[in-house]
């Protein structure tokens, strides 16, 4: 199940996000990381060190692109220059699939550079799915959408977040990048049971899973990617793997970045859960848990 | 009863709130630019929960927006921060970002309008305005030189074989600057300090940079400079005035003879000396790989 058409039938194992402070370690020690996820926008440039480093990484590792500013949920048309540059990068990396977020972040040509939440309305479902289809058709590779952490809910919402996600991916016929840390963060911020979310997603569409740490404040949790993964998030991850089977898994660590070895050790904890299921019946049984 | 907003209206409303400048205490303002209470604005489209009001929830995004932009801007202009002093820099940064929010999918372009904006708004730079303008130009040129394209360079032989009315292009990563101060060494020093401090502690340019700039005694001196990239590193190359003028003319799309005419305009240099200089320049530029065929869109600027 985990190798599916939404991740181009790849069987990537555990990877980590490629970050500049780790370049030297990677080039000098050549650690046995199965794959790296790159932030597309960091390499959508015309030349220089970013592309040179990327080429060196690609000489030795599998790379998958992850974007932060396609804004599938923005109500207006995508920026053509963004799409053109993204396709150029896709051709360079030959990424088997590409992911970005189920959110919005720009309006009238002004960018927030944040992952702003969507109202869970039918209008947003239709517009978001149409935009994903457009991007997927233009890029000619599978696209997976990632659920975001959110801190606000909208008065106009007509469904739960997971119902919204399911409606969007069904209409767009795209994959899901399931971020179990984001599910946990949002579950605390919006008072729902995170296991309900994990149980509701269409397992056959999950192309990839994200794990990460976060920061807890008195009244809410912020998705900061600057801590190890906490146990409740590992539990969600375990449940996701039960449902989806071994799935390409990626640890994000974006702030207060520790040494490469620390980040890699944290990511490898995911291997505890990635043992393949024994029989097709087990897969079917677990997939059938979906509501 | 309030009518629900459609998606575009909601996003426009939320964006206006998220991009509303923060208070001096880095909180969301109590009223928007029209004087409407933000508690009302937020309650129109955001649900409260048991711990946070609609205002509180919107404020999280409002603060994140500003912190993210401020962090990116500060990272790109550490020398400007040191020149104008940190307190003034905060005002400058917030006013600039309010006037020029990001219009690009990448934060890399955040400072693209700073030189023009600061020139039109000198009060934000304070008493060292001219130096601040120079430093701004140098720091933005570094951003451009870092990752602009490098096209196939022309050899000296290829340049020599060009016809009399030919045009030459300059590599997009080569940035030409005409400054009032020799600000390049200072900027380089500040950038090296920032790199060192961020790799050591993950912090912003600290007090040591401020002390360094207090000791800085730069005298005005017309300075011509190219910032360019070689083997993925940035280099600062001093230029003479005619050299700068020739390169600037080439970049603007003139023919080779026109560029040379522009290069020596207003200067009394004997013809044989001009010939020797031109040979020396082109040899040097070709060795550096600066010359290329005229640039296609979107590289031409």
């Amino acid at each position: 199940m985990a190798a599916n058409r939404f991740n181009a039938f790849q069987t990537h194992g555990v990877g980590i996000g490629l970050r500049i402070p780790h370049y030297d370690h990677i080039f000098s020690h050549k650690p046995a990381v199965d794959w790296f996820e790159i932030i597309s926008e960091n390499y959508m440039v015309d030349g220089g060190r970013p592309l040179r480093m990327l080429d060196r990484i690609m000489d030795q590792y599998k790379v998958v692109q992850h974007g932060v500013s396609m804004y599938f949920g923005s109500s207006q048309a995508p920026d053509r220059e963004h799409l053109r540059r993204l396709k150029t990068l896709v051709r360079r990396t030959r990424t088997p699939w590409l992911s970005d977020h189920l959110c919005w972040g720009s309006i009238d040509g002004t960018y927030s550079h944040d992952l702003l939440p969507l109202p869970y309305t039918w209008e947003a479902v239709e517009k978001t799915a149409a935009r994903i289809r457009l991007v997927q058709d233009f890029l000619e590779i599978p696209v997976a959408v990632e659920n975001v952490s959110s801190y606000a809910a909208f008065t106009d919402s007509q469904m739960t977040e997971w119902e919204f996600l399911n409606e969007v991916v069904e209409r767009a016929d795209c994959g899901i990048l399931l971020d179990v840390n984001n599910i946990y963060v949002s579950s605390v911020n919006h008072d729902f049971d995170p296991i309900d979310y994990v149980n509701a997603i269409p397992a056959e569409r999950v192309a990839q899973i994200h794990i990460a740490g976060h920061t807890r404040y008195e009244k809410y949790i912020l998705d900061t990617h600057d801590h190890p993964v906490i146990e409740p998030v590992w539990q969600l991850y375990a449940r996701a793997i039960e449902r989806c089977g071994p799935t390409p898994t990626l640890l994000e660590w974006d702030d207060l970045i520790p040494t490469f070895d620390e980040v890699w050790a944290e990511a490898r904890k995911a291997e505890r859960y990635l043992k393949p299921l024994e029989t097709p019946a087990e897969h079917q049984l677990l997939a059938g848990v979906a509501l | 009863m309030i009518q629900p907003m459609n998606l575009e209206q909601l996003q426009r409303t939320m964006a206006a709130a998220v991009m509303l400048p923060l208070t001096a205490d880095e909180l969301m303002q109590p009223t928007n630019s029209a004087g409407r209470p933000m508690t009302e604005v937020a309650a129109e489209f955001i649900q409260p929960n048991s711990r946070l009001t609609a205002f509180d929830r919107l404020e999280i995004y409002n603060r994140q927006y500003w912190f993210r932009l401020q962090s990116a801007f500060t990272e790109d202009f550490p020398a400007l921060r040191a020149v104008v002093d940190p307190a003034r820099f905060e005002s400058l940064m917030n006013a600039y970002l309010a006037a020029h929010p990001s219009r690009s999918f990448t934060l890399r372009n955040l400072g693209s309008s700073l030189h023009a904006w600061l020139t039109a708004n000198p009060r934000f730079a304070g008493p060292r305005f001219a130096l601040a303008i120079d430093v701004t130009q140098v720091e933005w040129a570094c951003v451009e030189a870092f990752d602009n394209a490098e096209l196939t360079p022309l050899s000296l032989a290829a340049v020599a074989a060009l016809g009399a009315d030919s045009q030459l292009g300059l590599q997009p990563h080569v940035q030409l600057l005409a400054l009032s101060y020799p600000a390049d060494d200072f900027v380089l020093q500040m950038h090296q300090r920032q790199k060192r401090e961020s790799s050591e502690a993950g912090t912003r340019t600290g007090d040591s940079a401020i002390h360094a700039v207090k000791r800085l005694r730069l005298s005005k001196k017309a300075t011509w400079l190219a910032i360019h990239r070689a083997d993925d590193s940035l280099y600062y190359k001093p230029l003479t005035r005619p050299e700068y003028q020739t390169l600037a003319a080439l970049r603007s799309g003139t023919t080779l003879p026109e560029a040379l005419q522009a290069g020596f305009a207003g200067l009394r240099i004997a013809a044989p000396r001009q010939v020797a200089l031109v040979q020396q320049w082109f040899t040097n530029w070709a060795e550096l790989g600066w010359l290329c065929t005229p640039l296609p869109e979107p590289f031409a600027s």
Side-chain angles (χ1 to χ4, degrees), chain A residues 6 80 83 111 115 119 129 272:
Chain A
F6 303 107
R80 295 171 73 90
L83 281 174
Y111 286 73
L115 308 174
R272 296 174 295 181

Side-chain angles (χ1 to χ4, degrees), chain A residues 185-228:
Chain A
V185 169
S186 292
S187 76
V188 172
N189 291 340
H190 303 302
D191 304 304
F192 64 79
D193 186 344
I195 209 71
D196 289 345
Y197 196 138
V198 176
N199 283 339
I201 53 106
E204 71 281 3
R205 286 189 182 274
V206 176
Q208 180 188 335
I209 297 178
H210 267 174
I211 48 177
H214 55 251
T215 303
R216 184 178 280 271
Y217 293 94
E218 186 187 344
K219 295 180 178 178
Y220 63 95
I221 295 182
L222 211 53
D223 181 31
T224 47
H225 297 181
D226 60 354
H227 285 84

Side-chain angles (χ1 to χ4, degrees), chain A residues 63-81:
Chain A
V63 161
V64 176
Q65 284 183 224
H66 178 56
V68 293
S69 59
M70 181 49 71
Y71 299 141
F72 289 127
S74 280
S75 55
Q76 298 168 335
D79 175 45
R80 295 171 73 90
E81 173 68 2

Side-chain angles (χ1 to χ4, degrees), chain B residues 5-281:
Chain B
M5 289 183 263
N6 68 30
L7 187 63
E8 189 168 344
Q9 289 168 331
L10 185 145
Q11 292 183 349
R12 200 168 277 125
T13 303
M14 184 163 178
V18 165
M19 296 176 190
L20 191 67
L22 299 175
T23 66
D25 296 330
E26 299 188 323
L27 300 172
M28 189 155 76
Q29 293 196 38
T31 57
N32 65 13
S33 55
R36 189 161 176 233
M38 286 305 293
T39 48
E40 273 181 32
V41 173
E44 256 182 30
F45 62 101
I46 294 202
Q47 274 186 341
N49 66 11
S50 59
R51 304 174 299 280
L52 297 167
T53 64
F55 179 98
D56 294 336
R57 298 182 110 181
L58 189 56
E59 185 179 60
I60 295 171
Y61 288 102
N62 183 212
R63 298 181 77 205
Q64 283 199 147
Y65 168 78
W66 282 99
F67 294 165
R68 182 172 289 108
L69 263 59
Q70 288 167 346
S71 170
F73 185 87
T74 305
E75 195 174 317
D76 284 348
F77 295 99
L80 177 62
R81 181 173 182 266
V83 165
V84 301
D85 89 53
R88 195 186 297 275
F89 182 79
E90 289 286 318
S91 305
L92 181 160
M93 171 170 64
N94 292 336
Y96 170 73
L97 293 175
H100 291 277
S102 174
R103 304 284 292 176
S104 166
F105 62 85
T106 166
L107 283 166
R108 179 257 192 220
N109 297 328
L110 198 56
S112 61
S113 303
L114 182 60
H115 175 228
W117 178 85
L118 195 55
T119 303
N121 295 277
R123 68 185 184 283
F124 288 102
R128 296 173 118 173
F129 170 70
L131 178 59
I133 286 290
D134 278 2
V135 164
T136 298
Q137 290 188 82
V138 175
E139 295 201 294
W140 177 247
C142 289
V143 173
E144 293 274 56
F146 179 72
D147 59 16
N148 273 5
E150 180 175 9
L151 307 179
T152 306
L154 289 177
S155 65
L156 190 58
V159 174
L162 292 172
D165 287 335
S166 298
Q167 287 179 302
L168 271 177
L170 265 189
Q171 293 286 0
H173 65 81
V174 176
Q175 304 297 305
L176 305 172
L177 298 169
L179 307 171
S180 307
Y181 286 88
D184 45 325
D185 279 348
F186 170 67
V187 172
L188 184 62
Q189 187 190 338
M190 287 298 110
H191 285 197
Q192 286 172 340
R193 191 184 298 265
Q194 180 197 43
K195 193 174 177 184
R196 201 164 50 243
E197 290 180 355
S198 63
S199 67
E200 283 168 2
T203 56
R204 287 178 175 183
T205 304
D207 289 345
S208 59
I210 310 309
H211 295 316
V213 83
K214 280 181 179 165
R215 292 193 301 271
L216 180 71
R217 292 286 179 271
L218 274 184
S219 299
K220 271 198 169 183
K221 179 189 169 198
T223 300
W224 297 275
L225 183 70
I227 299 180
H228 66 110
R229 191 175 73 237
D231 294 331
D232 298 332
S233 295
L234 295 190
Y235 293 92
Y236 296 31
K237 179 175 168 49
L239 303 173
T240 61
R241 179 178 161 191
E243 195 178 10
Y244 167 85
Q245 289 179 165
T246 304
L247 286 166
L250 284 176
R251 167 142 292 165
S252 71
T254 64
T255 61
L256 206 46
E258 289 168 340
L260 293 174
Q261 195 175 10
F264 293 106
L267 299 171
R268 298 176 65 182
I269 300 175
R273 175 69 181 142
Q274 287 189 16
V275 172
L277 282 173
V278 169
Q279 285 178 342
Q280 183 188 322
W281 294 343

Side-chain angles (χ1 to χ4, degrees), chain A:
Chain A
M1 181 183 296
N4 55 40
R5 66 188 173 99
F6 303 107
N7 56 26
F9 300 97
Q10 300 293 306
T11 53
H12 291 38
V14 176
I16 61 173
L18 181 64
R19 301 294 178 259
I20 292 170
H22 292 157
Y23 278 168
D24 287 346
H25 181 96
I26 295 166
F27 293 135
S28 58
H29 291 82
K30 298 181 175 50
V33 178
D34 197 41
W35 60 291
F36 284 106
E37 184 183 78
I38 63 163
I39 302 297
S40 298
E41 286 77 0
N42 291 349
Y43 302 92
M44 286 158 61
V45 294
D46 293 320
R49 183 176 158 84
L51 292 178
R52 197 85 59 124
M53 294 298 107
L54 177 59
D55 288 344
R56 285 184 65 186
I57 291 287
M58 290 192 305
D59 282 344
Q60 300 176 50
Y61 295 98
K62 293 179 281 191
V63 161
V64 176
Q65 284 183 224
H66 178 56
V68 293
S69 59
M70 181 49 71
Y71 299 141
F72 289 127
S74 280
S75 55
Q76 298 168 335
D79 175 45
R80 295 171 73 90
E81 173 68 2
H82 186 178
L83 281 174
R84 185 186 68 78
R85 285 181 176 271
L86 186 56
K87 187 155 189 173
T88 300
L89 185 64
V90 163
R91 286 175 174 153
R92 188 184 195 107
T93 64
R94 297 182 299 279
T95 182
W97 73 92
L98 172 145
S99 61
D100 207 312
H101 299 84
L102 187 59
C103 70
W104 71 282
S106 65
I107 185 85
D108 301 326
T110 298
Y111 286 73
S112 70
H113 300 283
D114 201 352
L115 308 174
L116 300 175
L118 283 160
Y120 306 133
T121 63
W122 292 107
E123 183 200 5
V125 166
E126 294 295 343
K127 288 189 170 166
T128 305
R131 190 168 165 125
I132 296 167
R133 278 199 304 271
L134 185 153
V135 172
Q136 195 161 235
D137 289 348
F138 180 77
L139 296 177
E140 301 177 292
I141 56 167
V143 164
V145 295
E146 178 182 353
N147 56 297
V148 297
S149 290
S150 63
Y151 317 107
F154 294 94
T155 53
D156 290 347
S157 285
Q158 298 163 318
M159 60 194 93
T160 65
E161 182 183 336
W162 53 91
E163 287 167 343
F164 179 77
L165 171 66
N166 292 355
E167 294 290 346
V168 168
V169 297
E170 190 67 32
R171 280 168 171 73
D173 192 20
C174 68
I176 295 172
L177 194 179
L178 191 69
D179 190 317
V180 287
N181 175 61
N182 288 349
I183 291 176
Y184 180 81
V185 169
S186 292
S187 76
V188 172
N189 291 340
H190 303 302
D191 304 304
F192 64 79
D193 186 344
I195 209 71
D196 289 345
Y197 196 138
V198 176
N199 283 339
I201 53 106
E204 71 281 3
R205 286 189 182 274
V206 176
Q208 180 188 335
I209 297 178
H210 267 174
I211 48 177
H214 55 251
T215 303
R216 184 178 280 271
Y217 293 94
E218 186 187 344
K219 295 180 178 178
Y220 63 95
I221 295 182
L222 211 53
D223 181 31
T224 47
H225 297 181
D226 60 354
H227 285 84
V229 181
I230 64 168
E231 187 51 36
V233 172
W234 282 122
Q235 288 170 16
L236 293 178
Y237 177 70
R239 177 62 187 143
I241 294 297
E242 274 182 352
R243 292 207 52 229
C244 305
T247 301
T249 297
L250 191 290
L251 172 71
E252 295 179 294
W253 204 312
D254 294 309
D255 208 358
L256 307 175
I257 300 174
T259 64
F260 179 92
D261 287 336
E262 287 174 80
V263 174
W264 182 222
E266 184 66 16
R268 292 195 66 186
K269 290 177 186 173
E271 291 171 356
R272 296 174 295 181
Y273 306 96
L274 284 172
K275 179 178 169 289
L277 297 174
E278 299 296 330
T279 66
E282 278 183 302
H283 280 288
Q284 281 184 343
L285 186 67
L286 288 167
V289 172
L291 299 172

